[in-house]
């Protein structure tokens, strides 16, 4: 199954904590929480009428992020054609964490079913997340 979500990839930021007396509440920062809500909603729309994966799966994720505005047109073209890949922050593992958390229980029953994971970062004019899921 191949899915494309037209949403700007967002990294998993460090969780925030607030305390009230003896109780501590840990929560996602607003930017991360908003991303997860929106991606979850897009995934629900894509998965309508389809079953969740509940056995061993292989997942390939390609994150396409915007090109920085402060570069030349020539460099912009090199990046969008794939000649130059993003080596700037955010880290790939932070993209993975927020995306898998958002899709948990929607595309697959639990992310523990993912036994193989292949991910990459790319530049693009239209930011998106492309996901391919295969049952093993």
């Amino acid at each position: 199954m191949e899915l494309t979500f037209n949403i700007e990839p967002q990294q998993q930021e460090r969780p925030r904590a607030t305390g009230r007396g003896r109780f501590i509440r840990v929560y996602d920062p607003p930017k991360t929480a908003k991303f997860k809500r929106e991606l979850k909603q897009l995934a629900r729309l894509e998965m309508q009428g389809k079953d969740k994966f509940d056995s061993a799966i292989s997942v390939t994720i390609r994150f396409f992020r915007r090109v920085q505005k402060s570069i030349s047109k020539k460099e912009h073209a090199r990046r969008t054609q794939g000649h130059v890949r993003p080596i700037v922050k955010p880290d790939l593992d932070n993209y993975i964490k927020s995306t898998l958390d958002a899709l948990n229980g929607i595309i697959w029953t639990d992310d523990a079913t993912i036994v193989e994971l292949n991910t990459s970062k790319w530049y693009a004019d239209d930011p998106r997340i492309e996901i391919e899921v295969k049952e093993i």
Side-chain angles (χ1 to χ4, degrees):
M1 170 187 293
E2 292 184 23
L3 304 162
T4 299
F5 300 108
N6 294 314
I7 187 171
E8 178 91 37
Q10 169 68 37
Q11 78 268 21
Q12 175 70 44
E13 298 172 315
R14 294 200 184 279
R16 306 283 191 258
T18 182
R20 294 218 173 198
R22 298 184 351 222
F23 301 100
I24 295 176
R25 179 179 162 258
V26 180
Y27 61 95
D28 280 329
K31 209 172 174 182
T32 303
K34 180 178 184 252
F35 167 77
K36 287 181 180 180
R37 269 193 318 273
E38 289 175 359
L39 183 57
K40 216 176 262 255
Q41 187 61 31
L42 291 170
R44 278 192 188 108
L45 291 173
E46 284 285 328
M47 292 299 291
Q48 277 183 337
K50 298 175 186 165
D51 292 333
K52 297 176 200 167
F53 291 91
D54 60 358
S55 59
I57 56 175
S58 169
V59 178
T60 300
I61 307 173
R62 288 177 293 283
F63 298 99
F64 292 87
R65 56 169 287 163
R66 286 192 198 280
V67 181
Q68 297 90 331
K69 294 179 182 176
S70 60
I71 60 170
S72 68
K73 288 181 182 178
K74 184 177 179 181
E75 182 61 22
H76 181 91
R78 290 183 63 223
R79 291 181 184 199
T80 55
Q81 293 168 2
H83 299 296
V84 177
R85 301 276 294 276
I87 57 170
V88 296
K89 293 199 181 255
D91 299 346
L92 187 58
D93 61 324
N94 292 328
Y95 278 152
I96 295 166
K97 180 69 176 141
S98 64
T99 302
L100 294 183
D101 283 354
L103 300 176
N104 208 20
I106 297 171
I107 295 179
W108 41 77
T109 53
D110 187 66
D111 54 4
T113 60
I114 300 171
V115 297
E116 201 172 274
L117 182 63
N118 183 9
T119 59
S120 57
K121 286 193 300 187
W122 299 87
Y123 283 117
D125 287 327
D126 53 330
R128 63 192 181 278
I129 300 171
E130 295 177 353
I131 299 177
E132 184 180 336
V133 183
K134 293 179 186 171
E135 220 162 25
I136 295 181

